[in-house]
Amino acid sequence: MAHTDLDRVVALAGIYQAVNCVTRVARHGSADVEAMEPCIYSLLQVDADDVEAVFGPPGAVANGARQIIAQLTGKPERNLELTRYVVLLMKLERTLARRADLLARIREGIVSAQLSQEQSALLGPDMLAQLAEIYSATISHLEPRIIVRGDPLHLRNPDNQNQVRALLLAGIRAAMLWRQVGGGRWHILFRSKQILADARRYLERAANRP
């Protein structure tokens, strides 16, 4: 099935939203629940009706769309750390795509997490710990390794560590979706104006929904 520019910007926004939440947890000890929930939700979606539904209701990745706009326009300011994480996640996803063994382990972990969702809250510590373990057992062994920078006090907290790892797994999931709908690094370089317009259109559409 053909995918649209809007599909691609939703997937890209999913990556940016996940890494933005990572930096918030690492530097401040918490991330906005409304931003974090669609990222974790996306990990449990296997048969979504369309690209946007992967993240939940319309407008779910508005935070990520705003990050895209900031990176492309410099307003209010660019955050090079976010871009670094996004590029690393895209590289990791390409490496992961060649590892059928790790993909199978991730699928098994996600199926188990789906079953656990009946007893665990989506952002509850048990669910986040389970998703973090999937990341630790698979993605963390691949190169390039992602080194998350932040406040050591927050990064030493086990619950925060689980949040960060679960969010990085969500970033990988969004990077995989980005590739599946036709996105790539060259796409970002040469179609930045289109991406900017689509991110703005996504936010306008989300704001006008009843």
Side-chain angles (χ1 to χ4, degrees), residues 146-162:
I146 294 183
I147 306 300
V148 175
R149 296 183 174 89
D151 186 328
L153 178 65
H154 299 314
L155 290 174
R156 284 196 295 265
N157 183 297
D159 288 337
N160 289 344
Q161 291 173 7
N162 286 339

Side-chain angles (χ1 to χ4, degrees), residues 5-6 8-10 12-13 16 62 64-76 78 178 187-205:
D5 287 333
L6 197 60
R8 281 183 280 275
V9 87
V10 167
L12 185 60
Y16 269 98
R66 286 191 288 270
Q67 303 306 320
I68 292 173
I69 293 170
Q71 296 307 303
L72 293 177
T73 65
K75 299 177 182 178
R78 291 185 176 89
W178 161 253
H187 192 103
I188 297 175
L189 288 174
F190 293 114
R191 301 200 63 189
S192 59
K193 289 184 178 179
Q194 181 66 55
I195 291 173
L196 177 60
D198 292 332
R200 285 171 169 161
R201 183 158 60 98
Y202 175 83
L203 290 178
E204 289 171 3
R205 193 183 67 165

Side-chain angles (χ1 to χ4, degrees), residues 96-201:
L96 175 64
R98 297 189 290 270
R99 291 289 305 270
D101 57 330
L102 295 185
L103 287 170
R105 290 185 68 179
I106 290 172
R107 279 192 292 269
E108 290 172 4
I110 292 300
V111 169
S112 178
Q114 287 174 320
L115 296 174
S116 298
Q117 192 180 8
E118 297 178 5
Q119 288 81 33
S120 304
L122 186 62
L123 297 185
D126 291 341
M127 175 61 73
L128 293 173
Q130 191 168 356
L131 295 172
E133 176 55 30
I134 297 172
Y135 179 89
S136 296
T138 56
I139 310 299
S140 67
H141 298 290
L142 299 176
E143 295 290 342
R145 296 284 300 274
I146 294 183
I147 306 300
V148 175
R149 296 183 174 89
D151 186 328
L153 178 65
H154 299 314
L155 290 174
R156 284 196 295 265
N157 183 297
D159 288 337
N160 289 344
Q161 291 173 7
N162 286 339
Q163 288 185 58
V164 165
R165 289 171 183 144
L167 287 163
L168 289 174
L169 185 64
I172 291 285
R173 187 331 181 197
M176 184 176 293
L177 183 62
W178 161 253
R179 179 174 55 82
Q180 290 170 341
V181 298
R185 281 179 289 170
W186 293 112
H187 192 103
I188 297 175
L189 288 174
F190 293 114
R191 301 200 63 189
S192 59
K193 289 184 178 179
Q194 181 66 55
I195 291 173
L196 177 60
D198 292 332
R200 285 171 169 161
R201 183 158 60 98

Side-chain angles (χ1 to χ4, degrees), residues 75-87:
K75 299 177 182 178
E77 63 181 356
R78 291 185 176 89
N79 185 332
L80 296 181
E81 183 179 37
L82 286 188
T83 299
R84 181 177 67 84
Y85 286 138
V86 169
V87 170

